[in-house]
Structures are given as structure tokens and as C-alpha cells.
């Protein structure tokens, strides 16, 4: 059996017939499947929260009437934060998520003063 990893490539997954598994293996597998579903739910919730924070910043930059109420200096600082952000999404690294989160927090501090 093959499964896809987050990068989209396939990896081999060994699968034993269910009747050959011990009770301890079955219990461990059940808990691993539960962890997997909790991980997926947590990642989805995290993504929703990050997108909400970004949309809030986007709305403040665009302004309700299409005109930003932010000063030029603030807009320049936002642009500088974005220019300094260097991530490699194809790697799927947690350190990139931390960089994105820190950038969002810095931008929120600027626009939500």
C-alpha cells in the first residue's frame, strides 16, 4: 500500500492483515489514527486562525472605503516586514510557520495600535 506524504510524493506503507495484529498493536494503531485526525483538525484550525489574522491586516491596509487609514510610515514598515520574510513552503517546515506567525504578530502590532 502506498500513501502520499505532505509534499505529495508517495511513500511505502507496510500493511499487515488485521487478523495477524496483536491486541497491543491494534490499540496502538487506534491511538495513532486518533492522533492523526487530531493533528489534521489542529492544522486546519491553525490555518483558519492565521488566515483570519491576515485578512484583518489586509482589511486595515485597504480601508473600509478603499482608502487606507494607515500612515505611509506604517505601510513602509509593513512592506519591510513582508520583504524580510523568507520561507520555503515546499519544505513544510515548522520554522517557516514560526516566521510567518512572527511576521503577522509584528504587523498586527503596527496596524492595531
Amino acid at each position: 500500500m502506498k500513501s502520499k506524504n505532505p509534499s505529495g510524493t508517495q511513500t511505502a506503507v507496510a500493511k499487515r492483515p488485521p487478523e495477524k495484529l496483536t491486541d497491543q498493536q491494534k490499540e496502538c494503531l487506534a491511538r495513532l489514527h486518533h492522533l492523526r485526525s487530531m493533528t489534521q483538525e489542529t492544522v486546519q484550525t491553525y490555518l483558519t486562525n492565521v488566515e483570519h489574522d491576515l485578512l484583518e491586516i489586509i482589511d486595515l491596509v485597504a480601508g473600509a472605503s478603499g482608502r487606507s487609514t494607515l500612515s505611509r510610515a506604517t505601510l513602509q514598515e509593513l512592506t519591510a516586514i513582508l520583504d524580510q520574510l523568507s520561507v520555503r513552503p515546499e519544505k513544510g517546515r515548522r520554522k517557516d510557520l514560526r516566521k510567518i506567525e512572527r511576521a503577522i504578530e509584528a504587523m498586527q502590532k503596527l496596524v492595531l495600535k
Side-chain angles (χ1 to χ4, degrees):
M1 175 182 202
K2 298 215 179 227
S3 71
K4 287 195 174 193
N5 64 20
S7 66
T9 60
Q10 290 192 351
T11 58
V13 176
K15 186 173 181 181
R16 295 175 68 182
E19 65 277 356
K20 304 268 182 175
L21 298 176
T22 66
D23 288 343
Q24 191 174 20
Q25 285 173 309
K26 290 176 186 175
E27 177 66 24
C28 185
L29 284 172
R31 290 177 185 217
L32 286 168
H33 287 294
H34 179 67
L35 176 62
R36 182 173 184 235
S37 66
M38 285 189 320
T39 301
Q40 290 171 337
E41 185 179 342
T42 301
V43 167
Q44 186 58 47
T45 302
Y46 176 80
L47 177 62
T48 300
N49 291 337
V50 168
E51 287 179 340
H52 174 268
D53 292 344
L54 281 171
L55 287 172
E56 185 177 44
I57 295 167
I58 289 168
D59 287 346
L60 288 169
V61 170
S65 63
R67 291 186 137 177
S68 177
T69 57
L70 303 174
S71 70
R72 281 186 177 205
T74 301
L75 292 171
Q76 286 175 337
E77 288 183 64
L78 288 173
T79 303
I81 291 169
L82 293 167
D83 287 344
Q84 292 171 1
L85 184 60
S86 173
V87 296
R88 296 179 64 189
E90 69 279 3
K91 295 278 190 174
R93 299 181 299 190
R94 287 178 285 226
K95 77 177 196 175
D96 286 340
L97 289 174
R98 285 190 295 273
K99 287 179 183 180
I100 291 168
E101 195 163 353
R102 281 194 297 268
I104 291 170
E105 288 169 359
M107 289 186 291
Q108 284 177 320
K109 285 180 185 175
L110 284 172
V111 298
L112 300 175
K113 311 182 201 183

